[in-house]
Short mmCIF file of all heavy atoms in Angstrom, two decimals:
data_model
loop_
_atom_site.label_atom_id
_atom_site.label_comp_id
_atom_site.label_asym_id
_atom_site.label_seq_id
_atom_site.Cartn_x
_atom_site.Cartn_y
_atom_site.Cartn_z
N MET A 21 -22.68 13.32 4.31
CA MET A 21 -22.38 13.93 3.04
C MET A 21 -21.35 13.07 2.34
O MET A 21 -20.37 12.67 2.93
CB MET A 21 -21.81 15.41 3.31
CG MET A 21 -21.35 16.05 1.98
SD MET A 21 -21.22 17.79 2.13
CE MET A 21 -19.58 18.04 2.73
N ALA A 22 -21.51 12.76 1.04
CA ALA A 22 -20.69 11.93 0.28
C ALA A 22 -19.42 12.72 -0.09
O ALA A 22 -19.48 13.88 -0.37
CB ALA A 22 -21.41 11.40 -0.97
N MET A 23 -18.34 12.03 -0.20
CA MET A 23 -17.12 12.67 -0.65
C MET A 23 -17.19 12.81 -2.12
O MET A 23 -17.67 12.02 -2.93
CB MET A 23 -15.86 11.73 -0.33
CG MET A 23 -15.57 11.70 1.07
SD MET A 23 -13.95 11.05 1.11
CE MET A 23 -13.68 10.22 2.38
N VAL A 24 -16.60 13.90 -2.67
CA VAL A 24 -16.59 14.22 -4.09
C VAL A 24 -15.86 13.13 -4.84
O VAL A 24 -16.33 12.69 -5.90
CB VAL A 24 -15.95 15.63 -4.34
CG1 VAL A 24 -15.83 15.85 -5.83
CG2 VAL A 24 -16.79 16.70 -3.68
N TRP A 25 -14.72 12.59 -4.41
CA TRP A 25 -13.91 11.60 -5.12
C TRP A 25 -14.75 10.35 -5.32
O TRP A 25 -14.57 9.65 -6.32
CB TRP A 25 -12.65 11.27 -4.40
CG TRP A 25 -12.85 10.52 -3.16
CD1 TRP A 25 -12.94 11.07 -1.88
CD2 TRP A 25 -13.05 9.11 -2.99
NE1 TRP A 25 -13.14 10.13 -0.98
CE2 TRP A 25 -13.22 8.82 -1.63
CE3 TRP A 25 -13.07 8.03 -3.87
CZ2 TRP A 25 -13.43 7.60 -1.10
CZ3 TRP A 25 -13.32 6.76 -3.34
CH2 TRP A 25 -13.47 6.56 -1.96
N ALA A 26 -15.70 10.09 -4.48
CA ALA A 26 -16.50 8.82 -4.53
C ALA A 26 -17.43 8.84 -5.76
O ALA A 26 -17.87 7.81 -6.24
CB ALA A 26 -17.31 8.59 -3.32
N ARG A 27 -17.73 10.07 -6.27
CA ARG A 27 -18.63 10.10 -7.47
C ARG A 27 -17.92 9.66 -8.68
O ARG A 27 -18.54 9.13 -9.63
CB ARG A 27 -19.14 11.59 -7.65
CG ARG A 27 -20.02 11.88 -6.51
CD ARG A 27 -20.62 13.32 -6.65
NE ARG A 27 -21.35 13.68 -5.56
CZ ARG A 27 -21.41 14.84 -4.99
NH1 ARG A 27 -20.76 15.90 -5.56
NH2 ARG A 27 -22.11 15.10 -3.92
N ARG A 28 -16.60 9.83 -8.79
CA ARG A 28 -15.79 9.39 -9.86
C ARG A 28 -14.48 8.85 -9.31
O ARG A 28 -13.50 9.53 -9.26
CB ARG A 28 -15.53 10.46 -10.89
CG ARG A 28 -16.72 10.87 -11.70
CD ARG A 28 -16.39 11.81 -12.85
NE ARG A 28 -15.42 11.24 -13.70
CZ ARG A 28 -14.56 11.96 -14.43
NH1 ARG A 28 -14.64 13.25 -14.47
NH2 ARG A 28 -13.66 11.34 -15.23
N PRO A 29 -14.51 7.57 -8.91
CA PRO A 29 -13.28 7.00 -8.32
C PRO A 29 -12.16 6.89 -9.27
O PRO A 29 -12.35 6.83 -10.51
CB PRO A 29 -13.80 5.61 -7.82
CG PRO A 29 -14.91 5.29 -8.73
CD PRO A 29 -15.57 6.64 -9.03
N SER A 30 -10.99 6.71 -8.73
CA SER A 30 -9.81 6.40 -9.58
C SER A 30 -9.77 5.01 -9.97
O SER A 30 -10.20 4.15 -9.16
CB SER A 30 -8.51 6.79 -8.78
OG SER A 30 -8.50 8.11 -8.47
N CYS A 31 -9.25 4.71 -11.17
CA CYS A 31 -9.09 3.39 -11.68
C CYS A 31 -8.19 2.55 -10.84
O CYS A 31 -7.13 3.04 -10.39
CB CYS A 31 -8.60 3.46 -13.14
SG CYS A 31 -8.25 1.84 -13.90
N THR A 32 -8.57 1.30 -10.51
CA THR A 32 -7.65 0.45 -9.66
C THR A 32 -6.48 -0.14 -10.46
O THR A 32 -5.58 -0.65 -9.87
CB THR A 32 -8.46 -0.75 -9.10
OG1 THR A 32 -9.05 -1.42 -10.16
CG2 THR A 32 -9.52 -0.22 -8.12
N GLU A 33 -6.45 0.10 -11.75
CA GLU A 33 -5.28 -0.35 -12.60
C GLU A 33 -4.31 0.77 -12.88
O GLU A 33 -3.13 0.66 -12.66
CB GLU A 33 -5.86 -0.94 -13.92
CG GLU A 33 -6.43 -2.30 -13.82
CD GLU A 33 -5.45 -3.40 -13.37
OE1 GLU A 33 -4.35 -3.47 -13.93
OE2 GLU A 33 -5.82 -4.17 -12.49
N CYS A 34 -4.83 1.90 -13.45
CA CYS A 34 -3.91 2.92 -13.93
C CYS A 34 -4.00 4.25 -13.10
O CYS A 34 -3.21 5.10 -13.25
CB CYS A 34 -4.17 3.28 -15.32
SG CYS A 34 -5.72 4.10 -15.76
N GLY A 35 -5.07 4.41 -12.28
CA GLY A 35 -5.18 5.58 -11.47
C GLY A 35 -5.93 6.74 -12.04
O GLY A 35 -6.22 7.77 -11.33
N ASP A 36 -6.31 6.69 -13.34
CA ASP A 36 -7.07 7.79 -13.96
C ASP A 36 -8.50 7.79 -13.39
O ASP A 36 -9.01 6.78 -12.84
CB ASP A 36 -7.15 7.65 -15.46
CG ASP A 36 -5.86 8.10 -16.20
OD1 ASP A 36 -5.02 8.64 -15.54
OD2 ASP A 36 -5.75 7.86 -17.35
N ARG A 37 -9.14 8.91 -13.61
CA ARG A 37 -10.59 8.98 -13.17
C ARG A 37 -11.46 8.12 -14.04
O ARG A 37 -11.24 7.96 -15.26
CB ARG A 37 -11.07 10.44 -13.29
CG ARG A 37 -10.23 11.40 -12.34
CD ARG A 37 -10.39 11.07 -10.93
NE ARG A 37 -11.61 11.68 -10.44
CZ ARG A 37 -11.86 11.87 -9.21
NH1 ARG A 37 -11.00 11.48 -8.22
NH2 ARG A 37 -12.96 12.32 -8.79
N MET A 38 -12.39 7.44 -13.46
CA MET A 38 -13.33 6.54 -14.22
C MET A 38 -14.66 7.29 -14.50
O MET A 38 -14.99 8.26 -13.87
CB MET A 38 -13.56 5.32 -13.38
CG MET A 38 -12.25 4.60 -13.12
SD MET A 38 -12.55 2.96 -12.30
CE MET A 38 -12.81 1.96 -13.72
N ALA A 39 -15.38 6.71 -15.51
CA ALA A 39 -16.69 7.26 -15.88
C ALA A 39 -17.73 6.28 -15.38
O ALA A 39 -17.61 5.02 -15.51
CB ALA A 39 -16.75 7.46 -17.36
N LEU A 40 -18.86 6.81 -14.86
CA LEU A 40 -19.96 5.89 -14.47
C LEU A 40 -20.65 5.39 -15.75
O LEU A 40 -21.01 6.11 -16.63
CB LEU A 40 -20.96 6.75 -13.69
CG LEU A 40 -22.23 6.02 -13.18
CD1 LEU A 40 -21.87 4.90 -12.20
CD2 LEU A 40 -23.20 6.97 -12.52
N ALA A 41 -20.73 4.02 -15.80
CA ALA A 41 -21.29 3.40 -16.97
C ALA A 41 -22.74 2.88 -16.68
O ALA A 41 -23.61 2.95 -17.54
CB ALA A 41 -20.46 2.15 -17.41
N ARG A 42 -23.01 2.35 -15.45
CA ARG A 42 -24.30 1.79 -15.16
C ARG A 42 -24.59 1.86 -13.66
O ARG A 42 -23.68 1.76 -12.84
CB ARG A 42 -24.39 0.30 -15.57
CG ARG A 42 -24.45 0.03 -17.03
CD ARG A 42 -24.38 -1.42 -17.37
NE ARG A 42 -23.07 -2.07 -17.12
CZ ARG A 42 -21.98 -1.92 -17.78
NH1 ARG A 42 -21.96 -1.00 -18.77
NH2 ARG A 42 -20.91 -2.49 -17.51
N ILE A 43 -25.86 1.95 -13.28
CA ILE A 43 -26.31 1.77 -11.93
C ILE A 43 -27.45 0.75 -11.91
O ILE A 43 -28.40 0.87 -12.74
CB ILE A 43 -26.85 3.15 -11.31
CG1 ILE A 43 -25.74 4.16 -11.34
CG2 ILE A 43 -27.45 2.98 -9.99
CD1 ILE A 43 -26.25 5.57 -10.92
N ALA A 44 -27.33 -0.19 -11.02
CA ALA A 44 -28.40 -1.24 -10.96
C ALA A 44 -28.70 -1.46 -9.42
O ALA A 44 -27.75 -1.51 -8.66
CB ALA A 44 -27.95 -2.56 -11.53
N PRO A 45 -30.00 -1.66 -9.05
CA PRO A 45 -30.27 -1.91 -7.68
C PRO A 45 -29.86 -3.33 -7.31
O PRO A 45 -29.96 -4.27 -8.17
CB PRO A 45 -31.88 -1.81 -7.67
CG PRO A 45 -32.23 -2.02 -9.03
CD PRO A 45 -31.15 -1.56 -9.98
N ILE A 46 -29.31 -3.53 -6.09
CA ILE A 46 -28.95 -4.85 -5.65
C ILE A 46 -29.66 -5.27 -4.42
O ILE A 46 -29.69 -6.42 -4.02
CB ILE A 46 -27.47 -5.04 -5.56
CG1 ILE A 46 -26.82 -4.06 -4.63
CG2 ILE A 46 -26.79 -5.12 -6.85
CD1 ILE A 46 -25.34 -4.26 -4.37
N GLU A 47 -30.22 -4.29 -3.66
CA GLU A 47 -31.00 -4.50 -2.50
C GLU A 47 -31.84 -3.26 -2.31
O GLU A 47 -31.71 -2.26 -3.05
CB GLU A 47 -30.15 -4.75 -1.22
CG GLU A 47 -29.39 -6.05 -1.25
CD GLU A 47 -28.51 -6.08 -0.02
OE1 GLU A 47 -28.69 -5.38 0.97
OE2 GLU A 47 -27.60 -6.95 -0.04
N SER A 48 -32.73 -3.23 -1.32
CA SER A 48 -33.53 -2.06 -1.19
C SER A 48 -32.81 -0.81 -0.79
O SER A 48 -33.30 0.29 -1.06
CB SER A 48 -34.65 -2.40 -0.11
OG SER A 48 -34.04 -2.67 1.13
N ILE A 49 -31.58 -0.97 -0.25
CA ILE A 49 -30.83 0.21 0.19
C ILE A 49 -29.50 0.33 -0.54
O ILE A 49 -28.72 1.20 -0.24
CB ILE A 49 -30.60 0.23 1.72
CG1 ILE A 49 -29.87 -1.01 2.16
CG2 ILE A 49 -31.93 0.38 2.43
CD1 ILE A 49 -29.36 -0.98 3.61
N HIS A 50 -29.21 -0.49 -1.47
CA HIS A 50 -27.90 -0.56 -2.14
C HIS A 50 -28.08 -0.41 -3.65
O HIS A 50 -29.17 -0.69 -4.20
CB HIS A 50 -27.20 -1.79 -1.89
CG HIS A 50 -26.72 -2.05 -0.46
ND1 HIS A 50 -27.51 -2.52 0.51
CD2 HIS A 50 -25.51 -1.76 0.04
CE1 HIS A 50 -26.83 -2.55 1.61
NE2 HIS A 50 -25.65 -2.12 1.38
N GLU A 51 -27.03 0.06 -4.26
CA GLU A 51 -26.91 0.12 -5.75
C GLU A 51 -25.57 -0.48 -6.09
O GLU A 51 -24.65 -0.44 -5.38
CB GLU A 51 -26.90 1.58 -6.25
CG GLU A 51 -28.10 2.37 -6.01
CD GLU A 51 -27.97 3.79 -6.44
OE1 GLU A 51 -26.83 4.35 -6.54
OE2 GLU A 51 -29.03 4.42 -6.78
N LEU A 52 -25.55 -1.05 -7.28
CA LEU A 52 -24.28 -1.52 -7.91
C LEU A 52 -23.91 -0.51 -8.95
O LEU A 52 -24.67 -0.39 -9.97
CB LEU A 52 -24.42 -2.94 -8.48
CG LEU A 52 -23.12 -3.51 -9.07
CD1 LEU A 52 -22.13 -3.71 -7.97
CD2 LEU A 52 -23.42 -4.83 -9.77
N ARG A 53 -22.84 0.15 -8.74
CA ARG A 53 -22.39 1.19 -9.68
C ARG A 53 -21.21 0.67 -10.45
O ARG A 53 -20.14 0.25 -9.85
CB ARG A 53 -22.02 2.47 -9.01
CG ARG A 53 -23.27 3.14 -8.39
CD ARG A 53 -22.99 4.44 -7.85
NE ARG A 53 -24.15 4.98 -7.11
CZ ARG A 53 -24.22 6.17 -6.48
NH1 ARG A 53 -23.19 6.93 -6.53
NH2 ARG A 53 -25.32 6.52 -5.82
N THR A 54 -21.30 0.63 -11.77
CA THR A 54 -20.14 0.14 -12.59
C THR A 54 -19.52 1.36 -13.26
O THR A 54 -20.13 2.21 -13.86
CB THR A 54 -20.78 -0.78 -13.71
OG1 THR A 54 -21.49 -1.85 -13.06
CG2 THR A 54 -19.67 -1.34 -14.58
N PHE A 55 -18.22 1.40 -13.10
CA PHE A 55 -17.36 2.45 -13.64
C PHE A 55 -16.40 1.86 -14.63
O PHE A 55 -15.89 0.73 -14.45
CB PHE A 55 -16.57 3.14 -12.56
CG PHE A 55 -17.39 3.99 -11.63
CD1 PHE A 55 -18.01 3.38 -10.48
CD2 PHE A 55 -17.57 5.36 -11.90
CE1 PHE A 55 -18.82 4.15 -9.66
CE2 PHE A 55 -18.33 6.15 -11.00
CZ PHE A 55 -18.97 5.48 -9.89
N GLU A 56 -16.18 2.54 -15.75
CA GLU A 56 -15.19 2.14 -16.74
C GLU A 56 -14.13 3.12 -16.97
O GLU A 56 -14.43 4.34 -16.97
CB GLU A 56 -15.98 1.87 -18.07
CG GLU A 56 -17.04 0.75 -18.01
CD GLU A 56 -17.77 0.53 -19.23
OE1 GLU A 56 -17.70 1.36 -20.17
OE2 GLU A 56 -18.53 -0.42 -19.24
N CYS A 57 -12.92 2.67 -17.21
CA CYS A 57 -11.80 3.54 -17.42
C CYS A 57 -11.55 3.75 -18.91
O CYS A 57 -11.36 2.74 -19.61
CB CYS A 57 -10.53 3.01 -16.73
SG CYS A 57 -9.07 4.02 -16.99
N ALA A 58 -11.54 4.90 -19.46
CA ALA A 58 -11.36 5.22 -20.82
C ALA A 58 -9.84 5.02 -21.21
O ALA A 58 -9.54 4.70 -22.34
CB ALA A 58 -11.74 6.62 -21.17
N SER A 59 -8.98 5.10 -20.25
CA SER A 59 -7.51 5.01 -20.52
C SER A 59 -7.04 3.57 -20.70
O SER A 59 -6.33 3.27 -21.71
CB SER A 59 -6.69 5.60 -19.37
OG SER A 59 -6.99 7.01 -19.30
N CYS A 60 -7.52 2.64 -19.80
CA CYS A 60 -7.02 1.29 -19.87
C CYS A 60 -8.06 0.24 -20.02
O CYS A 60 -7.79 -0.94 -20.24
CB CYS A 60 -6.24 1.00 -18.64
SG CYS A 60 -7.10 0.76 -17.09
N GLY A 61 -9.32 0.61 -19.97
CA GLY A 61 -10.44 -0.39 -20.16
C GLY A 61 -10.87 -1.08 -18.90
O GLY A 61 -11.76 -1.96 -18.90
N GLN A 62 -10.20 -0.79 -17.77
CA GLN A 62 -10.60 -1.45 -16.51
C GLN A 62 -12.05 -1.17 -16.12
O GLN A 62 -12.53 -0.14 -16.37
CB GLN A 62 -9.68 -0.93 -15.40
CG GLN A 62 -10.03 -1.41 -13.99
CD GLN A 62 -9.77 -2.90 -13.73
OE1 GLN A 62 -9.10 -3.57 -14.49
NE2 GLN A 62 -10.28 -3.40 -12.65
N VAL A 63 -12.70 -2.18 -15.60
CA VAL A 63 -14.09 -2.05 -15.10
C VAL A 63 -14.11 -2.34 -13.61
O VAL A 63 -13.59 -3.36 -13.22
CB VAL A 63 -15.12 -3.00 -15.82
CG1 VAL A 63 -16.44 -2.95 -15.25
CG2 VAL A 63 -15.18 -2.71 -17.30
N ASP A 64 -14.63 -1.34 -12.84
CA ASP A 64 -14.66 -1.51 -11.37
C ASP A 64 -16.14 -1.36 -10.98
O ASP A 64 -16.87 -0.53 -11.51
CB ASP A 64 -13.81 -0.40 -10.65
CG ASP A 64 -12.33 -0.67 -10.78
OD1 ASP A 64 -11.92 -1.85 -11.00
OD2 ASP A 64 -11.63 0.32 -10.62
N ARG A 65 -16.57 -2.22 -10.08
CA ARG A 65 -17.96 -2.07 -9.56
C ARG A 65 -17.93 -1.86 -8.04
O ARG A 65 -17.15 -2.49 -7.29
CB ARG A 65 -18.61 -3.45 -9.89
CG ARG A 65 -18.84 -3.74 -11.36
CD ARG A 65 -19.51 -4.99 -11.63
NE ARG A 65 -19.75 -5.15 -13.10
CZ ARG A 65 -18.82 -5.59 -13.95
NH1 ARG A 65 -17.62 -5.93 -13.55
NH2 ARG A 65 -19.02 -5.65 -15.26
N TYR A 66 -18.86 -0.93 -7.62
CA TYR A 66 -18.96 -0.67 -6.23
C TYR A 66 -20.35 -0.88 -5.70
O TYR A 66 -21.35 -0.46 -6.43
CB TYR A 66 -18.68 0.85 -5.99
CG TYR A 66 -17.20 1.21 -6.23
CD1 TYR A 66 -16.73 1.45 -7.55
CD2 TYR A 66 -16.32 1.32 -5.15
CE1 TYR A 66 -15.38 1.79 -7.71
CE2 TYR A 66 -15.01 1.67 -5.38
CZ TYR A 66 -14.55 1.90 -6.67
OH TYR A 66 -13.22 2.24 -6.84
N ALA A 67 -20.52 -1.51 -4.61
CA ALA A 67 -21.78 -1.57 -3.88
C ALA A 67 -21.90 -0.25 -3.12
O ALA A 67 -20.98 0.04 -2.31
CB ALA A 67 -21.89 -2.80 -2.95
N VAL A 68 -22.95 0.48 -3.28
CA VAL A 68 -23.06 1.82 -2.68
C VAL A 68 -24.33 1.85 -1.83
O VAL A 68 -25.40 1.44 -2.29
CB VAL A 68 -23.14 2.85 -3.77
CG1 VAL A 68 -23.40 4.26 -3.14
CG2 VAL A 68 -21.93 2.87 -4.65
N LYS A 69 -24.22 2.31 -0.61
CA LYS A 69 -25.35 2.50 0.26
C LYS A 69 -25.36 4.00 0.57
O LYS A 69 -24.40 4.62 0.94
CB LYS A 69 -25.14 1.81 1.60
CG LYS A 69 -26.28 2.04 2.55
CD LYS A 69 -26.02 1.34 3.92
CE LYS A 69 -27.17 1.66 4.79
NZ LYS A 69 -26.73 2.43 5.97
N SER A 70 -26.60 4.57 0.39
CA SER A 70 -26.72 5.93 0.72
C SER A 70 -27.48 6.09 2.04
O SER A 70 -28.01 5.15 2.54
CB SER A 70 -27.36 6.73 -0.40
OG SER A 70 -28.58 6.11 -0.71
N GLY A 71 -27.65 7.30 2.48
CA GLY A 71 -28.31 7.48 3.78
C GLY A 71 -27.46 8.16 4.86
O GLY A 71 -26.41 8.64 4.54
N PRO A 72 -27.82 7.98 6.09
CA PRO A 72 -27.08 8.62 7.16
C PRO A 72 -25.67 7.99 7.39
O PRO A 72 -24.82 8.73 7.86
CB PRO A 72 -27.92 8.41 8.43
CG PRO A 72 -28.93 7.42 8.06
CD PRO A 72 -29.06 7.34 6.54
N GLU A 73 -25.52 6.77 7.00
CA GLU A 73 -24.14 6.11 7.12
C GLU A 73 -23.78 5.56 5.75
O GLU A 73 -23.74 4.37 5.58
CB GLU A 73 -24.22 5.06 8.21
CG GLU A 73 -24.47 5.55 9.56
CD GLU A 73 -24.46 4.50 10.63
OE1 GLU A 73 -23.76 3.47 10.44
OE2 GLU A 73 -25.22 4.64 11.63
N PRO A 74 -23.51 6.38 4.81
CA PRO A 74 -23.21 5.94 3.44
C PRO A 74 -21.83 5.25 3.34
O PRO A 74 -20.99 5.46 4.20
CB PRO A 74 -23.20 7.18 2.60
CG PRO A 74 -22.82 8.28 3.60
CD PRO A 74 -23.34 7.85 4.90
N TYR A 75 -21.69 4.35 2.37
CA TYR A 75 -20.37 3.74 2.12
C TYR A 75 -20.31 3.31 0.67
O TYR A 75 -21.31 3.14 -0.05
CB TYR A 75 -20.10 2.55 3.06
CG TYR A 75 -20.95 1.37 2.91
CD1 TYR A 75 -20.85 0.50 1.85
CD2 TYR A 75 -22.00 1.13 3.76
CE1 TYR A 75 -21.64 -0.63 1.71
CE2 TYR A 75 -22.85 0.08 3.76
CZ TYR A 75 -22.63 -0.85 2.65
OH TYR A 75 -23.51 -1.89 2.56
N TRP A 76 -19.12 3.13 0.20
CA TRP A 76 -18.75 2.56 -1.10
C TRP A 76 -17.89 1.36 -0.88
O TRP A 76 -16.87 1.47 -0.17
CB TRP A 76 -18.01 3.53 -2.00
CG TRP A 76 -18.90 4.68 -2.47
CD1 TRP A 76 -19.60 5.57 -1.77
CD2 TRP A 76 -19.02 5.07 -3.84
NE1 TRP A 76 -20.17 6.49 -2.58
CE2 TRP A 76 -19.87 6.14 -3.86
CE3 TRP A 76 -18.49 4.62 -5.03
CZ2 TRP A 76 -20.20 6.83 -5.09
CZ3 TRP A 76 -18.87 5.21 -6.22
CH2 TRP A 76 -19.73 6.34 -6.22
N LEU A 77 -18.22 0.24 -1.43
CA LEU A 77 -17.48 -1.00 -1.26
C LEU A 77 -17.06 -1.56 -2.66
O LEU A 77 -17.95 -1.87 -3.47
CB LEU A 77 -18.28 -2.09 -0.50
CG LEU A 77 -17.68 -3.44 -0.34
CD1 LEU A 77 -16.38 -3.39 0.55
CD2 LEU A 77 -18.69 -4.41 0.24
N LEU A 78 -15.74 -1.58 -2.92
CA LEU A 78 -15.28 -2.12 -4.18
C LEU A 78 -15.54 -3.65 -4.27
O LEU A 78 -15.11 -4.38 -3.35
CB LEU A 78 -13.77 -1.85 -4.35
CG LEU A 78 -13.11 -2.34 -5.62
CD1 LEU A 78 -13.75 -1.69 -6.89
CD2 LEU A 78 -11.65 -2.07 -5.63
N MET A 79 -16.25 -4.06 -5.29
CA MET A 79 -16.60 -5.49 -5.37
C MET A 79 -15.48 -6.22 -6.12
O MET A 79 -15.00 -5.70 -7.14
CB MET A 79 -17.93 -5.66 -6.16
CG MET A 79 -19.14 -4.91 -5.49
SD MET A 79 -19.49 -5.44 -3.92
CE MET A 79 -20.19 -7.02 -4.23
N PRO A 80 -15.08 -7.38 -5.70
CA PRO A 80 -14.02 -8.14 -6.41
C PRO A 80 -14.48 -8.64 -7.78
O PRO A 80 -15.66 -8.94 -7.96
CB PRO A 80 -13.74 -9.31 -5.45
CG PRO A 80 -14.99 -9.43 -4.60
CD PRO A 80 -15.67 -8.09 -4.52
N GLU A 81 -13.60 -8.67 -8.69
CA GLU A 81 -13.92 -9.19 -10.01
C GLU A 81 -13.70 -10.76 -10.01
O GLU A 81 -12.85 -11.25 -9.28
CB GLU A 81 -12.93 -8.60 -11.10
CG GLU A 81 -13.26 -7.17 -11.45
CD GLU A 81 -14.58 -7.09 -12.19
OE1 GLU A 81 -14.89 -8.00 -13.04
OE2 GLU A 81 -15.32 -6.19 -11.92
N THR A 82 -14.50 -11.41 -10.77
CA THR A 82 -14.41 -12.85 -10.83
C THR A 82 -13.46 -13.32 -11.91
O THR A 82 -12.89 -14.36 -11.87
CB THR A 82 -15.81 -13.50 -11.06
OG1 THR A 82 -16.34 -12.96 -12.28
CG2 THR A 82 -16.71 -13.28 -9.91
N ALA A 83 -13.22 -12.47 -12.99
CA ALA A 83 -12.34 -12.82 -14.11
C ALA A 83 -10.98 -12.11 -13.85
O ALA A 83 -10.95 -11.01 -13.42
CB ALA A 83 -12.96 -12.40 -15.39
N PRO A 84 -9.90 -12.77 -14.24
CA PRO A 84 -8.60 -12.16 -14.13
C PRO A 84 -8.55 -10.98 -15.08
O PRO A 84 -9.20 -10.95 -16.14
CB PRO A 84 -7.61 -13.23 -14.60
CG PRO A 84 -8.40 -14.55 -14.67
CD PRO A 84 -9.86 -14.19 -14.67
N ALA A 85 -7.70 -10.01 -14.83
CA ALA A 85 -7.58 -8.79 -15.64
C ALA A 85 -7.27 -9.12 -17.07
O ALA A 85 -7.80 -8.51 -17.97
CB ALA A 85 -6.54 -7.84 -15.02
N ALA A 86 -6.42 -10.07 -17.32
CA ALA A 86 -6.00 -10.40 -18.68
C ALA A 86 -7.20 -10.92 -19.51
O ALA A 86 -7.30 -10.69 -20.69
CB ALA A 86 -4.92 -11.47 -18.69
N ALA A 87 -8.16 -11.58 -18.88
CA ALA A 87 -9.30 -12.11 -19.58
C ALA A 87 -10.31 -11.02 -19.94
O ALA A 87 -11.12 -11.20 -20.81
CB ALA A 87 -10.02 -13.10 -18.69
N ARG A 88 -10.25 -9.87 -19.25
CA ARG A 88 -11.20 -8.76 -19.55
C ARG A 88 -10.76 -7.92 -20.72
O ARG A 88 -11.53 -7.19 -21.30
CB ARG A 88 -11.29 -7.87 -18.30
CG ARG A 88 -12.02 -8.55 -17.15
CD ARG A 88 -12.38 -7.51 -16.08
NE ARG A 88 -11.29 -6.71 -15.65
CZ ARG A 88 -10.51 -6.94 -14.58
NH1 ARG A 88 -10.78 -8.01 -13.89
NH2 ARG A 88 -9.52 -6.13 -14.32
N HIS A 89 -9.47 -7.97 -21.12
CA HIS A 89 -9.00 -7.11 -22.19
C HIS A 89 -9.02 -7.82 -23.51
O HIS A 89 -8.91 -8.83 -23.79
CB HIS A 89 -7.55 -6.58 -21.85
CG HIS A 89 -7.55 -5.77 -20.67
ND1 HIS A 89 -8.09 -4.50 -20.59
CD2 HIS A 89 -7.17 -6.05 -19.39
CE1 HIS A 89 -7.94 -4.01 -19.40
NE2 HIS A 89 -7.28 -4.94 -18.66
#
């Protein structure tokens, strides 16, 4: 069973709840979920695996935070 917080994670910059912006398949059992923060503009991406052993993995950003704003 997935945790409720995982559906809308907290922003890694300001801590507010994020909104799901996009879901894209990355493998047959994974999805890339992109969340955006309305408060500060931060974008966080998670690789998500569902099934009997689900997990969420925060993907590192390639651009520095200052370059995204």
Side-chain angles (χ1 to χ4, degrees):
M21 178 160 87
M23 288 197 210
V24 173
W25 68 266
R27 293 185 186 142
R28 286 191 57 206
S30 297
C31 176
T32 56
E33 287 292 316
C34 72
D36 281 352
R37 300 296 278 195
M38 301 186 87
L40 180 63
R42 288 175 291 289
I43 298 176
I46 54 174
E47 292 177 15
S48 61
I49 60 170
H50 291 84
E51 296 176 335
L52 182 64
R53 295 186 186 180
T54 302
F55 290 86
E56 295 176 353
C57 181
S59 298
C60 73
Q62 173 70 13
V63 175
D64 289 337
R65 292 177 179 86
Y66 290 84
V68 178
K69 177 184 178 247
S70 55
E73 296 181 31
Y75 65 79
W76 286 56
L77 176 65
L78 179 62
M79 303 300 289
E81 283 294 320
T82 56
R88 290 192 308 264
H89 298 288

